[in-house]
Amino acid sequence: VEKYLRQRTVSIQRCYYDVVKKNPKVGGKMVLEISIATNGRPTVKVVKDTLGDPRVAKCVTRKIKSWRFPKPEKKPVTFKVPFVFRSL
């Protein structure tokens, strides 16, 4: 799952960069709780968001919900993923 997320990092970063163009003060940490059902479909919950603009979290959760993860072997899997966003 970690490799799967790493391969899609650009799509997550795009959410941030699209918002930072409109709101340059956006930055901080977001922690997501992702649950993958036995069919590979994820549910996503924002556990922490210090970015200061809800559009980033909305975009990121929408993208992740559209992905299909590798199917867990026996039962659903839940884990937390931190993302740190800052302007360059």
Side-chain angles (χ1 to χ4, degrees), residues 42-60:
T43 57
V44 184
K45 178 174 142 186
V46 178
V47 179
K48 179 179 182 179
D49 184 356
T50 64
L51 293 169
D53 194 316
R55 292 178 291 183
V56 179
K58 184 176 180 180
C59 176
V60 170

Side-chain angles (χ1 to χ4, degrees), residues 10-47:
V10 172
S11 134
I12 299 296
Q13 290 171 335
R14 193 173 302 126
C15 287
Y16 172 70
Y17 291 126
D18 287 348
V19 172
V20 85
K21 288 179 205 171
K22 300 168 190 157
N23 182 358
K25 294 182 180 183
V26 172
K29 184 175 184 177
M30 178 172 52
V31 179
L32 302 178
E33 183 178 274
I34 302 172
S35 296
I36 303 172
T38 54
N39 63 3
R41 292 182 183 264
T43 57
V44 184
K45 178 174 142 186
V46 178
V47 179

